[in-house]
């Protein structure tokens, strides 16, 4: 079995440049001349991140949007993307989706590579952004006394996934075509003490923010807006793919964009995370450990 | 069957930003503030670009070196790479090779993504460079009256591939661990009228340079240094993976680095390429059409 944690540990030992941020942030941050670049690369793999029978246009959309979301978490303006594409069936439909998502975000396709191979097919995307504010927001800046905020609501992607899985008529758009919170990230960057996007589940990503900042996050579960019925609140807090922004602000600062205050930042206690007063002592089972679950399963059992 | 040419045509229609250079160059060239970025992304796929049983350290080396070669062709200094990695057997060995090649070129690992999936495994690398000279060399600047130059020799990678394929004791280093002509590219950038790296075979890449520049290249076959016995000269001219630099200089300019003059640039005649006075009328069979041959076969039949 591949040992992802072990390999990432080896990469961290290699990635000692400060721009890499210890491979523990949403993106690399590289000052270059009078510009600060923000760089991110994500892969999708059929059967791991992409459901069988997925519309290639949706794959293209998600590939771009999830990378743009990483830029949003840094308050970075996208300046272009590079695509790594494995040819297969219905390449034209992928190109359609790519055109749509690039138009939506006003981002140019700059280059990339096209290869044969698979199945399974894999897809890579590099997004290049320009920081609009320095210091560039990071996961490690949350301070005791700050408040914890979240844009949007959790669980919409989960419902979309379930609609696809079960073949119901429910709307699956949130899962297939997530929206990156780009304008929100740009507006928040000068104000936040820490920020990240929620890709792997609110609780797991909050855990990571707490660990990076060396603080404890006390989350008020009922304060988290959810797209699901109330009885599935805990599922919604653990499911990923919603791509909202999770951020911390000083107590006297109100966010300039619609967002919900979902908790408080405290001195580091014996757990990095408290949910409704209960300590969370391990990140196991909190959400999606990145890309090791294939394909996603419902969490409602 | 996937139609690579058709799909690339669709991408070209999307990639209308001038920085994309019509997806017809070795890299994207993006002015940003006081810096000009040079950006490239390549993928390798097991069984397509990677021989069965290849040492993962060699895969890492080649993945990085081939992207650095694209930067070399632009006279760009590498500032970092992002890795897309699919976990598998012997990840530690891949990390070893990655460390070696990044140290060799003094390039930091900035970030990337690690995923499950495969087989076949695929690997992506994005290299980010900073142009050291503007205008940044392109494929389309060759002028009638220029001379055509080549660093190094052709065919060494072919011999290395054959040693691996046949299990002989001959040296396979040139195939497994190509060297990017980075110092040469930096020295040449202010002088050349056109430049590219030779990844898919000298004749095919020369054809592309001629097409991009709208000129005819007259290649003097015997002037091309080869690593092979003389009877395999034509194979050496068609085989890829040597990663030398092919460039054009005004007639009165001598290259500042070791290189061989291998031909002349003429007004566009009825063929883009002449080899020893014979017109080459099609690019079919000239070399490796990018990534559609799996795995490489010898050309000596």
């Amino acid at each position: 079995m591949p040992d992802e944690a072990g390999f990432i540990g080896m990469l961290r030992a290699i990635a000692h440049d400060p721009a890499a941020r210890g491979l523990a942030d949403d993106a690399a941050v590289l000052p270059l001349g009078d510009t600060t670049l923000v760089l991110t690369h994500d892969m999708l793999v059929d059967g791991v991140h992409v459901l069988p029978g997925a519309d290639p246009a949706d794959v293209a959309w998600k590939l771009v949007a999830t990378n743009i979301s990483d830029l949003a978490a840094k308050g970075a303006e996208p300046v272009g993307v590079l695509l790594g594409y494995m040819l297969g069936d219905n390449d034209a439909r992928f190109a359609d989706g790519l055109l749509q998502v690039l138009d939506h975000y006003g981002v140019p396709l700059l280059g990339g590579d096209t290869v044969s191979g698979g199945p399974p097919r894999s897809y890579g995307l590099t997004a290049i952004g320009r920081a609009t504010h320095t210091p560039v927001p990071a996961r490690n800046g949350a301070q005791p006394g700050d408040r914890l905020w979240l844009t949007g609501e959790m669980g919409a992607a989960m419902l979309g996934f379930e609609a696809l899985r079960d073949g119901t008529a429910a709307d699956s758009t949130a899962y297939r075509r997530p929206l990156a919170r780009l304008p929100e990230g740009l507006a928040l960057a000068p104000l936040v003490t820490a920020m990240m996007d929620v890709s792997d589940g609110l609780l797991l990503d909050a855990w990571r923010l707490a660990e990076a900042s060396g603080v404890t996050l006390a989350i008020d579960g009922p304060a988290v807006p959810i797209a699901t019925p109330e009885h599935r609140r805990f599922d919604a807090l653990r499911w990923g793919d919603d791509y909202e922004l999770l951020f911390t602000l000083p107590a006297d600062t109100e966010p300039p964009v619609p967002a919900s205050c979902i908790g408080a930042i405290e001195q580091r206690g014996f757990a990095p995370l408290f949910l409704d007063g209960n300590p969370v002592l391990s990140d196991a089972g909190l959400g999606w450990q990145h890309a090791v679950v294939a394909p996603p399963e419902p969490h409602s059992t």
Side-chain angles (χ1 to χ4, degrees), chain A:
Chain A
M1 273 298 288
D3 174 3
E4 184 172 29
F7 182 68
I8 290 176
M10 288 182 268
L11 293 186
R12 287 210 167 107
I14 297 174
H16 43 71
D17 193 285
R21 293 191 162 190
L23 305 183
D25 215 311
D26 292 302
V29 176
L30 180 69
L32 201 62
D34 60 2
T35 301
T36 298
L37 288 179
V38 178
L39 303 160
T40 182
H41 177 80
D42 281 323
M43 284 178 86
L44 297 179
V45 183
D46 278 353
V48 180
H49 314 87
V50 178
L51 288 173
D55 180 349
D58 290 341
V59 176
W61 182 285
K62 197 158 186 167
L63 183 64
V64 173
T66 56
N67 277 284
I68 299 289
S69 178
D70 287 327
L71 299 186
K74 305 279 130 226
E77 214 169 51
V79 297
V81 301
L82 304 173
L83 171 70
Y85 183 76
M86 199 176 274
L87 294 158
D89 295 332
N90 218 342
D91 296 327
R93 183 78 190 143
F94 185 92
D96 285 347
L98 186 66
L99 180 58
Q100 288 166 19
V101 68
L102 294 175
D103 271 0
H104 180 86
Y105 291 106
V107 185
L109 175 66
L110 298 179
D113 198 11
T114 307
V115 296
S116 303
R121 292 164 72 191
S122 60
Y123 317 83
L125 196 98
T126 300
I128 300 110
R130 169 173 44 195
T132 59
H133 183 268
T134 54
V136 174
R139 295 183 182 185
N140 67 359
Q143 300 293 325
D146 288 351
R147 291 190 291 170
L148 182 66
W149 296 82
L150 179 72
T151 62
E153 57 187 17
M154 295 286 105
M158 177 181 80
L159 296 180
F161 167 76
E162 292 174 356
L164 289 174
R165 183 197 59 190
D166 303 336
T168 70
D171 188 1
S172 60
T173 309
Y175 177 78
R176 294 182 295 105
R177 301 219 169 186
L179 291 171
R181 291 288 190 183
L182 193 58
E184 291 83 352
L186 295 171
L188 287 165
L191 303 172
V192 298
T193 50
M195 184 154 64
M196 68 185 296
D197 71 332
V198 179
S199 53
D200 294 338
L202 174 64
L203 295 182
L204 179 56
D205 284 330
W207 173 284
R208 291 167 173 163
L209 194 151
E211 287 286 62
S213 294
V215 296
T216 287
L217 301 190
I219 294 184
D220 177 13
V224 178
I226 54 174
T228 65
E230 184 58 34
H231 74 275
R232 299 202 59 198
R233 173 172 294 278
F234 189 56
D235 295 340
L237 267 55
R238 290 163 68 225
W239 231 89
D241 274 335
D242 282 314
Y243 301 99
E244 297 295 343
L245 294 176
L246 180 68
F247 56 98
T248 56
L249 289 174
D252 58 357
T253 304
E254 293 293 320
V257 299
S260 305
C261 181
I262 63 163
I265 287 72
E266 302 173 352
Q267 295 278 357
R268 182 58 172 266
F270 66 95
L273 204 62
F274 281 75
L275 178 61
D276 300 329
N278 301 308
V280 179
L281 295 170
S282 158
D283 62 351
L286 271 193
W288 296 126
Q289 297 289 351
H290 205 50
V292 293
V293 179
E297 295 290 333
H299 293 224
S300 58
T301 52

